[in-house]
Amino acid sequence: MTVNDDSFTHWKNREEIAESMIPIIGKLHRERDVTVLLHSRSLVNKSVVSILKTHRFARQIAGAELSITETLPFLQALTALDLGPSQIDIGLLAEAYRGDDRGMSVEEFTAEAVAGATGENKIERREPRDVVLYGFGRIGRLLARLLIEKAGSGNGLRLRAIVVRKGAGQDIVKRASLLRRDSVHGQFQGTITVDEANDTIVANGNTIKMIYSDDPTTVDYTQYGIKNAILIDNTGRWRDREGLSKHLRPGIDKVVLTAPGKGDVPNIVHGVNHDTIKPDEQILSCASCTTNAIVPPLKAMADEYGVLRGHVETVHSFTNDQNLLDNYHSSDRRGRSAPLNMVITETGAASAVAKALPDLDARITGSSIRVPVPNVSIAILNLRLGRETSREEVLDHLRNISLNSPLKRQIDFISAPDAVSSDFVGSRHASIIDAGALKVEGDDAILYLWYDNEFGYSCQVIRVVQHVSGVEYPTYPAPVV
């Protein structure tokens, strides 16, 4: 047998193992509301090749490829446990077991590591929490995809309705088509049917009512069987408490804004300050995509090195706020053609840092340039640190944060030398550290942070909604604080 034959046989063996994982992962998700992760990446509804690629990706951040033969025994061990709703990272289980010297079996080690999700400790499965989308643009449609995806277990969050202004001619058909196919994010994973007579879309079995209204104060959501719902305003039309309070109608319990909030509206970056949300808070903001990209790495650096001051420059993809061709715009430069120009503009991300990190005693400034790409942006974070360090030390710190800390769902890490923006379309992280671009000299550090300003941000919004709804389930093994 040749070397090539050996490689092919090895690949086919790993394919067979990945195939055996799929029904186990699916059953845990459907029947017990358990999401199986691998280094914070969900394996639910993933293909054989996707599962193998996720194992291989660990090599970029942990230094060695994670073998699927290592993780399978931990997945099998989970099936024998009396598990409650939770997220379980079999990659972290395998790595922790490798470093454990107590001589325990895989079954014993797994039972100990996830004890908080078993037996008397387990969380009871909750009734689904109703969610309403107010607006159905770029972010709204991605939120819909994520909500439909996460409804797979029958618990958690359930998208009940979408509120929009009614357009002329086949409005619901056209909106369903935009949900079904996206030029940036590809095809919707599943089936979508439209019932024009009843103004409903059925997506993967989820019946979603289309409510037509231009005035939130006229809608009674209880008429549609909606109760105690979380409404996500992705229009940006209202950004202060007075305006967003218009949404607090019968059937709506809380309002979440997908733009920076004004006045006393809390600006929340999941992973950083979501635990400050008061139980009785009815109105909150998820800040901006750029704020979500820079605040987690900024916190990671401040906690370890201290930050005296900083500047963030965002190179941002164009958005629907700009013009396709030169035309009148209330902003000075955004009226110029978005796909033909780099456009200097303002960003509120730097000022929003103070709301998310009130204990950070450092002045952070910021500016932005819109560039002719439809999605994925990069933030260049230039920091003066509280002490001198080295490039190697910072890389090790950020790599560890992306793997083992409470920020691992927010911060990703890539060491590929040829990475470019399109590689990060569909990233579920708020921010991806580009290891090759990092610069450190004494107490100066420059971080290059990629982020999918549409999908990555939408994932952060869903995490906040899960938290306030009470369906943000604990992760095991527990992250290292």
Side-chain angles (χ1 to χ4, degrees):
M1 182 177 287
T2 67
V3 173
N4 286 340
D5 288 337
D6 284 342
S7 297
F8 185 67
T9 300
H10 182 52
W11 171 260
K12 298 303 289 183
N13 288 339
R14 289 187 297 157
E15 272 191 325
E16 185 177 356
I17 294 171
E19 285 173 356
S20 72
M21 285 180 153
I22 291 174
I24 300 174
I25 294 167
K27 189 173 183 180
L28 285 169
H29 186 57
R30 286 191 309 276
E31 296 183 2
R32 305 192 201 180
D33 214 2
V34 172
T35 300
V36 177
L37 310 173
L38 189 82
H39 281 313
S40 76
R41 289 166 167 76
S42 173
L43 296 183
V44 176
N45 293 328
K46 294 298 187 290
S47 67
V48 166
V49 171
S50 180
I51 291 172
L52 291 173
K53 285 180 69 176
T54 305
H55 278 77
R56 185 171 176 79
F57 182 81
R59 183 178 65 174
Q60 294 189 42
I61 48 181
E65 183 173 341
L66 188 62
S67 172
I68 199 167
T69 59
E70 285 185 86
T71 57
L72 177 62
F74 294 95
L75 183 61
Q76 292 170 329
L78 293 176
T79 64
L81 299 174
D82 180 25
L83 288 168
S86 55
Q87 299 186 102
I88 299 178
D89 196 316
I90 58 174
L92 292 183
L93 277 174
E95 284 197 357
Y97 182 70
R98 193 187 301 158
D100 189 82
D101 59 3
R102 293 176 292 168
M104 301 172 73
S105 68
V106 166
E107 292 75 16
E108 291 169 335
F109 184 85
T110 302
E112 179 184 270
V114 303
T118 61
E120 295 181 354
N121 297 323
K122 70 181 182 181
I123 299 171
E124 292 302 317
R125 299 178 75 174
R126 300 181 176 94
E127 287 296 313
R129 185 72 176 266
D130 290 351
V131 178
V132 173
L133 292 177
Y134 198 94
F136 205 45
R138 299 295 300 154
I139 299 300
R141 292 194 294 274
L142 291 178
L143 291 173
R145 287 189 175 200
L146 286 165
L147 288 165
I148 293 163
E149 169 193 301
K150 292 181 181 299
S153 64
N155 291 273
L157 304 174
R158 181 173 60 173
L159 177 58
R160 296 294 309 281
I162 300 166
V163 185
V164 293
R165 301 176 186 177
K166 188 163 188 175
Q170 292 192 305
D171 179 276
I172 195 169
V173 172
K174 291 178 180 179
R175 294 186 189 276
S177 292
L178 287 169
L179 178 62
R180 187 180 289 116
R181 288 177 288 273
D182 189 279
S183 301
V184 173
H185 300 281
Q187 297 274 349
F188 172 79
Q189 296 301 305
T191 63
I192 294 175
T193 57
V194 178
D195 182 349
E196 287 189 83
N198 293 301
D199 291 331
T200 59
I201 295 172
V202 180
N204 290 359
N206 295 268
T207 301
I208 306 161
K209 180 71 176 179
M210 192 69 71
I211 300 173
Y212 293 106
S213 175
D214 189 31
D215 182 356
T217 63
T218 64
V219 185
D220 181 348
Y221 294 93
T222 59
Q223 291 182 352
Y224 307 98
I226 296 168
K227 59 181 181 180
N228 196 34
I230 299 172
L231 182 144
I232 308 175
D233 184 330
N234 56 91
T235 68
R237 186 174 171 185
W238 303 277
R239 291 171 57 186
D240 59 12
R241 187 172 296 274
E242 181 182 0
L244 292 168
S245 294
K246 298 175 187 290
H247 292 304
L248 293 173
R249 301 284 299 156
I252 302 300
D253 180 56
K254 295 181 185 294
V255 179
V256 175
L257 171 66
T258 64
K262 294 183 177 180
D264 67 342
V265 174
N267 280 257
I268 303 300
V269 175
H270 190 275
V272 175
N273 67 337
H274 66 277
D275 56 353
T276 66
I277 301 173
K278 297 176 182 177
D280 60 349
E281 179 60 73
Q282 288 189 289
I283 295 173
L284 54 91
S285 156
C286 290
S288 71
C289 56
T290 302
T291 303
N292 277 264
I294 65 174
V295 166
L298 183 57
K299 175 175 170 54
M301 293 296 288
D303 287 349
E304 181 67 18
Y305 304 103
V307 171
L308 303 181
R309 56 182 170 82
H311 176 81
V312 60
E313 186 78 35
T314 68
V315 182
H316 200 290
S317 57
F318 62 76
T319 70
N320 275 329
D321 173 66
Q322 296 171 257
N323 290 332
L324 189 62
L325 293 171
D326 289 1
N327 205 350
Y328 174 80
H329 194 289
S330 58
S331 177
D332 290 337
R333 302 184 203 242
R334 292 194 191 190
R336 302 299 298 277
S337 172
L340 296 178
N341 294 290
M342 292 190 292
V343 179
I344 297 173
T345 186
E346 69 284 342
T347 176
S351 59
V353 168
K355 283 192 172 184
L357 287 174
D359 295 334
L360 181 68
D361 187 20
R363 183 169 182 264
I364 308 295
T365 57
S367 53
S368 178
I369 302 173
R370 298 286 181 94
V371 294
V373 294
N375 186 39
V376 180
S377 305
I378 189 167
I380 305 166
L381 187 58
N382 194 329
L383 301 175
R384 173 62 57 85
L385 305 177
R387 67 174 174 89
E388 293 192 357
T389 181
S390 66
R391 185 174 187 275
E392 292 71 24
E393 183 187 346
V394 173
L395 281 176
D396 286 344
H397 172 60
L398 293 174
R399 183 187 292 109
N400 182 61
I401 288 290
S402 73
L403 284 172
N404 301 312
S405 81
L407 289 171
K408 65 183 181 180
R409 285 202 289 171
Q410 282 70 44
I411 298 178
D412 203 0
F413 186 95
I414 188 165
S415 57
D418 58 348
V420 294
S421 61
S422 61
D423 296 332
F424 305 103
V425 174
S427 170
R428 292 176 182 247
H429 289 78
S431 184
I432 305 103
I433 308 288
D434 192 311
L438 176 75
K439 294 177 174 29
V440 178
E441 185 174 338
D443 58 357
D444 287 323
I446 304 176
L447 279 61
Y448 288 76
L449 313 169
W450 297 102
Y451 58 109
D452 183 327
N453 48 276
E454 294 184 335
F455 195 72
Y457 175 68
S458 296
C459 289
Q460 281 286 89
V461 173
I462 292 296
R463 290 170 190 139
V464 171
V465 173
Q466 287 178 313
H467 178 74
V468 299
S469 69
V471 296
E472 186 181 37
Y473 298 136
T475 300
Y476 300 93
V480 178
V481 179

